[in-house]
Amino acid sequence: EKRTMTLIEKNGYHDSVYINAAKIFQGIHTEKRKDRILVRYGDDSVSPMLTFKDQYSQRVSYELAFSALKYQDLLEEILLDSCVYPCQSIPDELTSLLVVMLYDLQDRKFQAREIFDEEEPVAEVRKIERYLYSFRTKLAAALARCRIKHDALSIEHILPEAIRKQEQRASALPLCVWVNTFKMSLQDVFRDLKKKGYTRVETVSDFDRYTYCMDQHCHDVLVFPSFLKEELLNLDLFADCKLLLQ
């Protein structure tokens, strides 16, 4: 099951991921001044209970929540401009879920999510999903108007320049990966990576396509080029928690 989860990211997530991402977003979203509040998120005074199926679910739940946070202003503008929000049938307690799922829907170019038979459905997720998808044309038009207003080729160009520069720097940093020596020895990891086409080099300066090196200070940490992130996360070594992304 863990291996199948790593393959569905581009087609959407399991219902539980949306619920957890919404709970995380509820606690971290930017609070506006009272005289500027147009989108209401309900009560967040109680810390949410998060239950993750596996490490992958935990990672993508946080990634989805923080992506929604990064584009919170844009997503709220889309909801308001399209008249999708407010909606009497959607209480304030589900607004975080609405925003999180809107980010994912636009990230999928407003295409339908792939549903898997083994998935346990969550009523709130399916309700929000049907609602957003029914207004996908209006939402896409509102997004297009936002891009025209900001003269932006993509939503990434709508972000403030300081944030874009931070992301560019972060995306260039090498990936640090812990070896879970409770499950696999270093030598076995080396052999497995070699079979998969990865070559061990001496230092970061020697990085090429499929290469990695040992951390100079931690004997159980491997370092990979940043552009290999998605390919690495699809390896069985990560699905089985033998390697853990730092």
Side-chain angles (χ1 to χ4, degrees), residues 172-176 198-215 222-228 232:
L173 292 175
L175 302 173
C176 292
Y198 290 84
T199 302
R200 182 178 165 191
V201 295
E202 290 299 319
T203 65
V204 171
S205 60
D206 298 321
F207 277 171
D208 198 355
R209 185 73 178 102
Y210 291 97
T211 53
Y212 70 96
C213 67
M214 298 287 296
D215 185 89
L222 308 181
V223 184
F224 291 83
S226 59
F227 55 78
L228 290 176
L232 288 171

Side-chain angles (χ1 to χ4, degrees), residues 38-246:
L38 296 175
V39 178
R40 301 185 180 278
Y41 289 93
D43 181 25
D44 58 357
S45 59
V46 180
S47 298
M49 295 294 293
L50 301 174
T51 304
F52 302 106
K53 296 175 66 175
D54 51 35
Q55 187 191 38
Y56 174 80
S57 298
Q58 182 179 21
R59 178 177 65 84
V60 295
S61 295
Y62 276 96
E63 284 183 355
L64 185 54
F66 277 91
S67 293
L69 174 65
K70 185 167 61 175
Y71 293 103
Q72 179 181 333
D73 288 343
L74 172 64
L75 296 169
E76 290 179 356
E77 185 177 349
I78 292 171
L79 287 171
L80 293 166
D81 183 42
S82 63
C83 297
V84 169
Y85 181 92
C87 173
Q88 290 185 345
S89 63
I90 298 178
D92 292 348
E93 289 70 26
L94 291 182
T95 301
S96 287
L97 183 60
L98 184 72
V99 170
V100 163
M101 295 192 72
L102 173 59
Y103 173 81
D104 180 59
L105 181 61
Q106 68 78 32
D107 196 41
R108 287 184 277 116
K109 311 300 181 187
F110 298 95
Q111 297 299 309
R113 176 172 65 120
E114 185 174 348
I115 303 296
F116 292 82
D117 293 338
E118 75 274 10
E119 183 178 358
E120 185 69 28
V122 178
E124 293 88 350
V125 170
R126 301 299 170 94
K127 175 183 178 180
I128 296 297
E129 182 172 42
R130 287 192 298 269
Y131 180 71
L132 286 173
Y133 196 69
S134 68
F135 288 102
R136 63 190 181 280
T137 303
K138 287 186 176 181
L139 291 167
L143 173 58
R145 286 191 291 272
C146 288
R147 287 173 52 191
I148 292 170
K149 183 174 76 173
H150 293 278
D151 193 23
L153 294 174
S154 65
I155 65 170
E156 288 81 6
H157 292 87
I158 297 177
L159 292 172
E161 185 177 357
I163 295 179
R164 279 190 280 132
K165 286 183 177 179
Q166 285 178 353
E167 290 197 329
Q168 289 171 357
R169 286 195 294 267
S171 64
L173 292 175
L175 302 173
C176 292
V177 174
W178 291 91
V179 177
N180 185 354
T181 53
F182 289 104
K183 289 195 171 188
M184 199 172 192
S185 69
L186 275 172
Q187 295 304 318
D188 286 339
V189 169
F190 294 155
R191 280 193 288 270
D192 198 305
L193 287 172
K194 186 175 182 179
K195 289 178 182 177
K196 290 176 169 59
Y198 290 84
T199 302
R200 182 178 165 191
V201 295
E202 290 299 319
T203 65
V204 171
S205 60
D206 298 321
F207 277 171
D208 198 355
R209 185 73 178 102
Y210 291 97
T211 53
Y212 70 96
C213 67
M214 298 287 296
D215 185 89
Q216 294 182 357
H217 305 288
C218 301
H219 73 281
D220 56 352
V221 174
L222 308 181
V223 184
F224 291 83
S226 59
F227 55 78
L228 290 176
K229 182 177 180 180
E230 291 303 319
E231 293 184 56
L232 288 171
L233 292 174
N234 282 319
L235 294 177
D236 293 346
L237 290 169
F238 281 89
D240 296 332
C241 297
K242 293 173 181 175
L243 291 182
L244 306 171
L245 183 65
Q246 174 62 37

